[in-house]
Amino acid sequence: MALTSSPAPVAFLGPAGTYTELAALLACPEQPHLHSQGSHPLVPYPTIIACLEAVATGQQEWAVVPVENSVEGGVSMTLDALWQLEGLQIYQALILPIRHALMGRAKALEQIEQVYSHPQALAQCQVWLGSHLPQATLIPTRSTTEELDRVQTQPMAAVIASERAAALYKLPILACPINDHPDNCTRFWVIGRSQPKADLASPGGSHTSLAFSLPENVPGALLKPLQVFAEQGLNMSRIESRPTKKSAGTYVFFVDLENAPDQPYLSPKVIAALEQIAETLKLLGSYPVHDLSKQGGIAFPN
Amino acid sequence: MALTSSPAPVAFLGPAGTYTELAALLACPEQPHLHSQGSHPLVPYPTIIACLEAVATGQQEWAVVPVENSVEGGVSMTLDALWQLEGLQIYQALILPIRHALMGRAKALEQIEQVYSHPQALAQCQVWLGSHLPQATLIPTRSTTEELDRVQTQPMAAVIASERAAALYKLPILACPINDHPDNCTRFWVIGRSQPKADLASPGGSHTSLAFSLPENVPGALLKPLQVFAEQGLNMSRIESRPTKKSAGTYVFFVDLENAPDQPYLSPKVIAALEQIAETLKLLGSYPVHDLSKQGGIAFPN
């Protein structure tokens, strides 16, 4: 990926004010080992798949997508799209702390009849909502910010989104933080197009991600790839299974590995061993991880 | 679980007409090896968690909950609730074929402006919706049937639910099947309260389900339990990871095992080996599986 003189645009799940937009502002796709200056122009898309397709088809250079939340788990849409679309690769991971705020123009919590947000945000606040807003109907939306315009004029409606979203839309914050788990954080990936030799062209870094399907469903089938990782001393920081969608009971496994300290890529030996075992193997990239959840909060860019 | 003279009520995700209700009608909690007569009274609940809490607290005897869809994957709410709630156990699994129908009072597809359904159903029809209803806004609901009353009076709105739901609500079917994958099926579990010795009191059958967390995140940690299964010749028909919600990067693993043909329970030897390895081990039950997706369709009870 050649460095361009002006930063290339980044696709994100919009509209403005989502956590993904914040991740995109903080990401530094072209030089993932530096901290971003937030100078990439951002382009909102209505869905995660649309963001990734925009990169796969060359419409945009980069996409920032959520991968996993510490409370609600993997983001299926991201994993499925990365398995299905060709030519995409991970350049960077960003971990953001998540602080959910309830915002709207209600005079009191008792007045609120509907709460709008992304299903993951609703799920992450379910205990708080059950005890503070038992009367409210929870209405899932495609992003945390999709219904922010509605609450400008409807005081009986409220939205769960970031404090930054409240500031952007000039909405009063009614309660914050309202997430049930204080350590809530979300991991995002910066995705770009892959080069012909994916394992060499990716930026390299502390982690490698890959996905594979297995040729047969027999005792110990999954054991083989995990043995390859263990024999090489590679720690699996995550494994997640998703249905292949071809037939029931067949899965794609998504694995994140911690690279050895002196080895920013997966070794050709491990790749060759996996190619022997897997039905289909997809190397998704080796990349650095910026964990902003452990730095005592982040300064919100505007 | 003592057999009662009149069948005990079954909690399901309502309102009437959901796929879960159909699974509950076909389930036979007290005698899981027989085919059900559909004679259990059914009690609708607004969420999966409410169904399982109703059984855990003794309010209802049984709950039927979705576990996994062949296209969209695991149902996080069910897995998380089974890990968190105490004293629940699986008595039976049912696999149902899923045929989604679009229903409403629109005169033509072009007239439809909103499509309401459960997020999983919307996701399972995304390709069809993109090509046939590109103009429509997709609105997620808590169950496939939640907004069926709305479409009785709003011809610009449509719902994706089962053909049975259309019949129950006397709504015209506008298109069917509209699921992108014809082999779409969903697995349900019949859940009851566990007995003190869970591994002995469960009905026994072809499969065993369990969940475990691991004490440390080191190379090969997950390898150990998988080696136990492989050494005993037990095929893992599924593995799924969910965050523990305690700290990022720590997981609970949900595993389904195929029992050996002559062994309807997990052997005490395997259980003892797992107890040595796991931080927390939860035996969720050994039970029979009724696969209704391979019987050339099912007769819909009313």
Side-chain angles (χ1 to χ4, degrees):
Chain A
M1 192 87 26
L3 291 179
T4 49
S5 51
S6 62
V10 179
F12 75 100
L13 175 67
T18 58
Y19 293 98
T20 310
E21 188 194 37
L22 181 56
L25 282 167
L26 296 165
C28 196
E30 275 117 0
Q31 290 161 292
H33 290 277
L34 300 182
H35 216 291
S36 171
Q37 302 307 308
S39 52
H40 283 265
L42 303 181
V43 188
Y45 282 80
T47 62
I48 290 170
I49 292 159
C51 292
L52 292 172
E53 281 176 344
V55 177
T57 58
Q59 205 183 330
Q60 306 294 344
E61 204 68 25
W62 305 104
V64 172
V65 290
V67 192
E68 186 188 24
N69 175 268
S70 60
V71 178
E72 282 307 303
V75 181
S76 315
M77 271 177 293
T78 298
L79 300 179
D80 290 353
L82 282 176
W83 181 253
Q84 283 157 25
L85 295 172
E86 292 299 326
L88 296 179
Q89 198 183 306
I90 306 161
Y91 282 76
Q92 187 185 359
L94 277 173
I95 300 173
L96 289 195
I98 302 292
R99 270 170 66 91
H100 288 307
L102 184 77
M103 59 200 71
R105 302 207 173 275
K107 295 274 176 289
L109 290 185
E110 299 74 46
Q111 210 188 338
I112 296 169
E113 292 178 11
Q114 298 98 30
V115 177
Y116 294 85
S117 195
H118 191 277
Q120 284 230 351
L122 294 173
Q124 290 162 25
C125 303
Q126 55 187 297
V127 175
W128 189 92
L129 289 166
S131 63
H132 292 82
L133 295 175
Q135 79 284 2
T137 306
L138 310 182
I139 304 173
T141 52
R142 289 188 295 180
S143 72
T144 51
T145 54
E146 194 178 31
E147 295 292 338
L148 280 174
D149 285 332
R150 177 193 296 264
V151 299
Q152 298 287 8
T153 54
Q154 298 183 7
M156 293 178 312
V159 160
I160 297 173
S162 69
E163 294 163 281
R164 184 173 164 271
L168 283 178
Y169 290 77
K170 299 186 172 53
L171 279 167
I173 290 178
L174 305 171
C176 182
I178 62 165
N179 27 288
D180 301 327
H181 296 267
D183 295 337
N184 195 326
C185 54
T186 296
R187 193 155 50 100
F188 297 85
W189 277 340
V190 179
I191 306 283
R193 282 186 292 282
S194 53
Q195 304 301 311
K197 285 201 132 194
D199 55 312
L200 297 176
S202 70
S206 60
H207 284 70
T208 294
S209 292
L210 45 90
F212 55 84
S213 59
L214 294 169
E216 47 189 345
N217 191 24
V218 295
L222 181 59
L223 201 60
K224 288 182 198 168
L226 302 198
Q227 265 165 343
V228 172
F229 305 142
E231 280 162 14
Q232 299 294 320
L234 296 169
N235 187 28
M236 230 174 27
S237 56
R238 173 163 161 261
I239 181 169
E240 177 148 354
S241 54
R242 293 283 308 150
T244 59
K245 312 194 183 209
K246 283 193 214 156
S247 64
T250 61
Y251 298 91
V252 178
F253 296 95
F254 290 83
V255 169
D256 293 348
L257 298 168
E258 291 171 17
N259 291 330
D262 53 344
Q263 170 67 275
Y265 297 100
L266 202 58
S267 78
K269 191 176 157 187
V270 173
I271 296 170
L274 290 174
E275 279 172 345
Q276 288 284 319
I277 295 165
E279 186 186 50
T280 304
L281 172 70
K282 253 191 156 169
L283 295 173
L284 300 173
S286 296
Y287 51 87
V289 178
H290 293 298
D291 189 347
L292 302 173
S293 72
K294 290 180 178 158
Q295 298 179 2
I298 40 173
F300 289 163
N302 291 314
Chain B
M1 191 87 27
L3 290 179
T4 49
S5 50
S6 61
V10 179
F12 75 101
L13 176 67
T18 58
Y19 292 98
T20 310
E21 188 194 38
L22 181 56
L25 283 166
L26 295 165
C28 196
E30 275 117 1
Q31 291 162 292
H33 291 280
L34 300 181
H35 215 292
S36 171
Q37 303 306 308
S39 51
H40 283 265
L42 302 182
V43 188
Y45 281 81
T47 62
I48 290 171
I49 292 159
C51 292
L52 292 172
E53 281 175 344
V55 178
T57 58
Q59 206 183 329
Q60 305 296 344
E61 204 68 25
W62 305 105
V64 173
V65 290
V67 192
E68 187 188 24
N69 176 267
S70 61
V71 178
E72 282 306 304
V75 181
S76 315
M77 270 177 293
T78 297
L79 300 179
D80 290 352
L82 281 176
W83 181 253
Q84 283 157 26
L85 295 172
E86 292 298 326
L88 295 179
Q89 199 182 305
I90 305 161
Y91 282 76
Q92 188 185 358
L94 276 172
I95 301 173
L96 289 195
I98 301 292
R99 270 171 66 90
H100 288 307
L102 184 77
M103 58 200 70
R105 302 207 173 276
K107 295 274 175 291
L109 289 185
E110 298 74 47
Q111 210 188 338
I112 296 169
E113 292 178 9
Q114 299 97 30
V115 178
Y116 293 86
S117 196
H118 190 277
Q120 284 230 350
L122 293 174
Q124 289 161 27
C125 303
Q126 55 188 297
V127 175
W128 189 92
L129 290 166
S131 63
H132 292 82
L133 295 175
Q135 79 284 3
T137 306
L138 310 182
I139 304 172
T141 53
R142 289 188 294 179
S143 71
T144 51
T145 54
E146 194 179 30
E147 295 292 339
L148 280 173
D149 285 333
R150 177 194 295 264
V151 299
Q152 298 287 8
T153 54
Q154 297 183 6
M156 292 177 314
V159 161
I160 297 174
S162 69
E163 293 164 281
R164 183 171 166 273
L168 282 177
Y169 290 77
K170 298 187 172 52
L171 279 168
I173 290 177
L174 304 171
C176 183
I178 63 166
N179 27 290
D180 301 326
H181 296 266
D183 296 336
N184 193 327
C185 53
T186 296
R187 194 154 51 98
F188 296 85
W189 277 340
V190 179
I191 306 284
R193 281 186 293 282
S194 53
Q195 304 301 310
K197 286 201 130 194
D199 54 312
L200 298 176
S202 70
S206 60
H207 284 69
T208 294
S209 292
L210 45 90
F212 56 84
S213 59
L214 295 169
E216 45 189 348
N217 191 23
V218 295
L222 182 59
L223 201 61
K224 289 182 197 168
L226 302 197
Q227 265 166 342
V228 171
F229 305 143
E231 280 162 13
Q232 300 293 321
L234 296 169
N235 186 28
M236 231 174 25
S237 56
R238 172 164 161 262
I239 180 168
E240 177 148 355
S241 54
R242 294 282 307 149
T244 59
K245 310 193 186 211
K246 283 192 215 155
S247 64
T250 62
Y251 297 92
V252 179
F253 296 95
F254 290 83
V255 168
D256 294 346
L257 297 168
E258 291 171 16
N259 291 330
D262 53 345
Q263 170 64 279
Y265 297 100
L266 202 58
S267 79
K269 191 176 157 187
V270 173
I271 295 170
L274 290 174
E275 279 171 345
Q276 289 284 319
I277 296 164
E279 185 186 50
T280 305
L281 172 70
K282 255 192 153 168
L283 295 172
L284 300 172
S286 296
Y287 51 86
V289 177
H290 293 298
D291 189 347
L292 302 172
S293 72
K294 290 181 179 158
Q295 297 178 4
I298 42 174
F300 289 161
N302 290 314

